[in-house]
């Protein structure tokens, strides 16, 4: 009776050890930008520069978003990312004044690392979104992407600088 129990325990230990080693191997095989991004990042700021295109004119938009919150959770071993960014931009319309324009991007998508300073997320709503990396430190970076969205006022076309910090 003891012999089958001991064999069962040994086999179980080997399976558990093997599974852990496979997970470790996947993470340890990551290199470059994928290795750096693997994990969760907090969105600390979003700057914007672009315009609101209306049938009557193009209205410039530039500044730093207010109420900015969000996260990016990079799962580099499986080439997936979950993300959510929410911020409020403002535009100045003559005669009317300041109008807030909410920016909301969220979803889950496949990610590809195209270079040491660029990755692409296949966003389910907006399609492929290319992010260019700048100001990278040991625990933060700025990711710049283009955001185009039709709103009730017109088409918002912006370059967004999203500031990310490792959690």
């Amino acid at each position: 009776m003891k012999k089958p129990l001991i064999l069962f325990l040994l086999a179980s230990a080997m399976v558990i050890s093997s599974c852990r080693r496979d997970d470790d191997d996947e993470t340890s095989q990551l290199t470059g930008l994928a290795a750096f991004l693997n994990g969760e990042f907090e969105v600390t700021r979003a700057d914007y520069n672009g315009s609101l295109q209306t049938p009557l004119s193009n209205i410039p938009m530039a500044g730093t978003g207010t109420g900015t919150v969000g996260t990016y959770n990079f799962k580099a071993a499986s080439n997936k990312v979950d993300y959510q960014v929410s911020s409020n931009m403002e535009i100045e319309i003559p005669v009317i004044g300041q109008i807030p324009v909410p920016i909301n991007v969220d979803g889950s998508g496949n990610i590809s690392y195209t270079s040491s300073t660029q990755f692409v997320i296949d966003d389910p709503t907006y399609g492929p979104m290319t992010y260019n990396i700048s100001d990278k430190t040991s625990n933060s970076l700025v990711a710049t992407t283009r955001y185009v969205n039709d709103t009730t006022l017109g088409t918002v076309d912006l370059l967004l600088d999203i500031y990310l910090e490792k959690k």
Side-chain angles (χ1 to χ4, degrees), residues 152-164:
T152 55
L153 299 173
T155 301
V156 174
D157 187 353
L158 302 172
L159 282 180
L160 291 176
D161 290 334
I162 302 169
Y163 292 72
L164 300 172

Side-chain angles (χ1 to χ4, degrees), residues 132-152:
N132 292 300
I133 305 300
S134 62
D135 298 331
K136 183 177 160 192
T137 69
S138 63
N139 66 345
S140 66
L141 61 93
V142 178
T144 302
T145 190
R146 186 168 181 219
Y147 174 83
V148 178
N149 192 21
D150 289 329
T151 69
T152 55

Side-chain angles (χ1 to χ4, degrees), residues 93-131:
I93 297 180
V95 182
I96 297 174
Q98 295 273 349
I99 295 180
V101 177
I103 303 295
N104 295 300
V105 179
D106 62 57
S108 294
N110 293 326
I111 185 170
S112 57
Y113 305 94
T114 54
S115 74
S116 63
T117 59
Q118 187 179 76
F119 62 90
V120 178
I121 296 175
D122 190 6
D123 184 279
T125 302
Y126 301 106
M129 294 184 72
T130 301
Y131 289 76

